Amino acid sequence: MVTTPTPLEEELRALAGAVPDPELPVLTLSELGVLRGLQLTGPGRVEVELTPTYTGCPAIETMSADIERVLRDHGIPEVEVRTVLSPAWSTDDISAEGRAKLAEFGVAPPRPGGPGGPVPVSLGIRCPHCGSTDTTLLSRFSSTACKALRRCEACREPFDHFKEL
């Protein structure tokens, strides 16, 4: 049964969603698409559902602690953050605003997967610095497991690419 969120639940969800991602602080948890739900479960009690970008993501603990702190600072004494693995997070969950922020930050956003299908391999990765698609993979992993390290052959600048999942 789907229920309409109360105004307080909407307010608390906005607060939890505004928490910055610990690995990419330019994005909020809402923009990243990992905040899956928030429900009041009783007076002064909230349950938050959070989906990691991949199983075993070490940032999930920091995300949970940051959400707990923000909601407790807002007067909610009991906050439970549950990790929800199904449905799995996908890079399609990143909002359009989040993708734009990644590019502005110098990280190539993931390519859109489209409805129900894999990402076509013919698409080039666009350099967030100059816009060229003439880029080379330097390493499958970068500063985090969900990013790859690439270099633009046009401007020669290295950059992170948020891998598609």
Side-chain angles (χ1 to χ4, degrees), residues 44-64:
R45 293 177 49 210
V46 172
E47 184 178 283
V48 179
E49 294 178 338
L50 196 59
T51 299
T53 56
Y54 65 94
T55 304
C57 174
I60 198 80
E61 291 178 20
T62 302
M63 291 178 200
S64 297

Side-chain angles (χ1 to χ4, degrees), residues 34-102:
V34 297
L35 181 63
R36 293 294 170 95
L38 183 145
Q39 300 84 34
L40 286 168
T41 57
R45 293 177 49 210
V46 172
E47 184 178 283
V48 179
E49 294 178 338
L50 196 59
T51 299
T53 56
Y54 65 94
T55 304
C57 174
I60 198 80
E61 291 178 20
T62 302
M63 291 178 200
S64 297
D66 290 348
I67 288 172
E68 289 174 14
R69 179 185 41 76
V70 164
L71 296 181
R72 284 188 181 125
D73 288 351
H74 197 70
I76 305 298
E78 293 183 51
V79 179
E80 179 186 355
V81 180
R82 291 188 318 112
T83 300
V84 178
L85 300 177
S86 181
W89 179 86
S90 159
T91 50
D92 290 339
D93 295 329
I94 300 174
S95 70
E97 184 177 355
R99 290 171 188 275
K101 285 183 176 182
L102 282 172

